Amino acid sequence: EKFKTGLEKTRNSFSEKVNDLVARYRKVDEDFFEELEEILIGADVGVNTVMDLIDELKFEAQKRNIQETKDLQEVISEKLVDIYNEAGETSPALNMQENGLTVILFVGVNGVGKTTTIGKLAHKFKQEGKSVLLAAGDTFRAGAIDQLEVWGERVGVEVIKQGEGSDPAAVMYDAVQAAKARKVDVLLCDTAGRLQNKVNLMNELEKVKRVIEREIPGAPHEVLQVIDATTGQNGLQQAKTFGEVTDVTGIVLTKLDGTAKGGIVIAIRKELNVPVKFVGLGEKMDDLQEFDASQFVYGLFG
Ligand code: GDP
């Protein structure tokens, strides 16, 4: 249900176009596939992925002797789910520690929804009965610390911080010490998102990771990259660059509610080779959903 309402824009555009196409072409033929290809590319599924998908649909149509377009519609959904799932690991589950502290690092360019996602996840963990602490590791961008504190207050979790311009690694050190002393379950760490200087950013993230790792062997347990779905293929390129700067274990795709091109989920899974663990479907605390390919695709068509 959440997927259904959150994906309204993509539903209204993409799904209606497919439905309209199926109604216009009764019989499966070359023109039908060509138009379908355009619709899929228009939904940001990604050119390479669309080519593969169309090939498989043609193959499947022949194999099962499908001649009516309406009979092919279900196969389109099936294949979209397959393509996502076959790209590799699909489990959205986070690598949570059974005993002791779990540390999650958030990376991504400014404005993609990093702070909001940290707030939403903090809320989710609290609801599960876990204790949470936030680390204000973006000491570079003016207002980033305040913004995280607003979320901290909203959700009812404490933020470990220093002043603007301070060393992010020092903030992380403080945060890890506080988390250990208070026996907190989860520490969620914000980081800076300026991609203008790749080398600086890389050094900063490495230093932050080293401090965490030194204090807690095996941590950080997840490095989640936040990507804004409304930036489409541009966002995907930016994400690739970020992937060169640090190892990412999962994607959070935000603002899916704000785009008609939700197919970007599939392009991201295929091209970044990292599973999408959560999607953002709005600005509120509860608008974060664990990602599941079949729920997503059936949310589009169902
Ligand atoms: P940051 O700079 O990466 O920390 O980005 P913010 O967390 O400040 O988010 C930037 C803007 O995007 C804010 O106005 C958020 O309310 C908005 N935002 C974040 N996630 C979502 C989402 O899933 N859906 C929508 N519609 N807006 C979002």
Side-chain angles (χ1 to χ4, degrees):
E1 269 313 304
K2 275 241 152 148
F3 272 113
K4 245 181 166 170
T5 43
L7 295 172
E8 211 166 341
K9 286 194 176 157
T10 303
R11 273 166 66 86
N12 290 345
S13 157
F14 173 66
S15 319
E16 280 192 7
K17 280 185 192 151
V18 174
N19 289 340
D20 171 62
L21 181 70
V22 166
R24 271 191 294 118
Y25 284 85
R26 302 257 319 283
K27 295 276 175 219
V28 177
D29 62 16
E30 201 50 43
D31 288 346
F32 169 81
F33 281 121
E34 219 157 86
E35 278 200 46
L36 180 61
E37 191 176 301
E38 264 169 47
I39 295 171
L40 288 162
I41 289 173
D44 257 349
V45 174
V47 177
N48 294 338
T49 310
V50 172
M51 298 301 179
D52 290 350
L53 179 69
I54 296 288
D55 281 348
E56 286 197 34
L57 284 173
K58 285 180 181 170
F59 178 78
E60 215 52 45
Q62 209 159 38
K63 196 175 87 182
R64 300 194 208 172
N65 194 22
I66 298 172
Q67 288 174 4
E68 308 256 329
T69 53
K70 67 173 170 43
D71 297 327
L72 198 67
Q73 197 162 16
E74 181 71 16
V75 188
I76 299 173
S77 301
E78 267 174 43
K79 286 288 159 197
L80 278 170
V81 176
D82 283 353
I83 278 193
Y84 182 92
N85 287 336
E86 281 165 8
E89 187 210 347
T90 53
S91 163
L94 292 172
N95 174 23
M96 301 297 291
Q97 302 309 108
E98 292 268 319
N99 294 302
L101 179 61
T102 300
V103 183
I104 304 177
L105 206 60
F106 292 81
V107 302
V109 228
N110 289 334
V112 292
K114 219 170 356 151
T115 318
T116 308
T117 301
I118 293 173
K120 287 173 177 174
L121 260 183
H123 173 64
K124 179 182 175 297
F125 287 132
K126 273 205 75 174
Q127 279 195 321
E128 291 169 8
K130 295 188 171 77
S131 51
V132 183
L133 208 55
L134 309 183
D138 185 356
T139 59
F140 187 79
R141 183 168 66 93
I145 301 169
D146 291 343
Q147 215 187 327
L148 193 66
E149 284 203 295
V150 170
W151 269 104
E153 270 170 37
R154 194 176 289 161
V155 178
V157 302
E158 209 187 316
V159 179
I160 304 297
K161 56 163 187 174
Q162 290 185 6
E164 205 179 299
S166 59
D167 180 1
V171 178
M172 289 308 157
Y173 181 83
D174 282 357
V176 170
Q177 297 311 324
K180 287 206 280 196
R182 295 175 209 178
K183 300 201 184 333
V184 159
D185 298 313
V186 195
L187 174 63
L188 304 177
C189 309
D190 195 9
T191 63
R194 63 207 139 98
L195 201 52
Q196 294 82 352
N197 190 329
K198 239 172 100 174
V199 178
N200 278 356
L201 183 65
M202 190 179 316
N203 289 340
E204 182 170 318
L205 289 175
E206 280 313 309
K207 199 169 156 200
V208 159
K209 274 166 96 174
R210 256 198 324 272
V211 168
I212 296 173
E213 149 102 292
R214 194 176 60 216
E215 299 304 312
I216 304 157
H221 304 96
E222 291 275 359
V223 178
L224 298 182
Q225 178 173 16
V226 184
I227 302 175
D228 178 344
T230 63
T231 56
Q233 296 293 325
N234 283 339
L236 182 58
Q237 283 312 316
Q238 213 168 41
K240 276 187 183 164
T241 311
F242 227 100
E244 294 162 11
V245 173
T246 190
D247 290 329
V248 173
T249 59
I251 304 287
V252 181
L253 188 62
T254 61
K255 311 186 198 179
L256 259 183
D257 55 304
T259 177
K261 299 180 164 204
I264 193 76
V265 172
I266 293 163
I268 280 177
R269 178 68 191 91
K270 288 276 283 184
E271 296 198 23
L272 296 183
N273 204 26
V274 179
V276 177
K277 300 218 172 185
F278 291 96
V279 293
L281 297 171
E283 295 185 278
K284 293 194 297 295
M285 239 186 264
D286 288 314
D287 294 333
L288 188 76
Q289 209 41 48
E290 276 192 2
F291 185 73
D292 176 88
S294 54
Q295 276 177 25
F296 175 79
V297 170
Y298 291 101
L300 284 182
F301 289 104

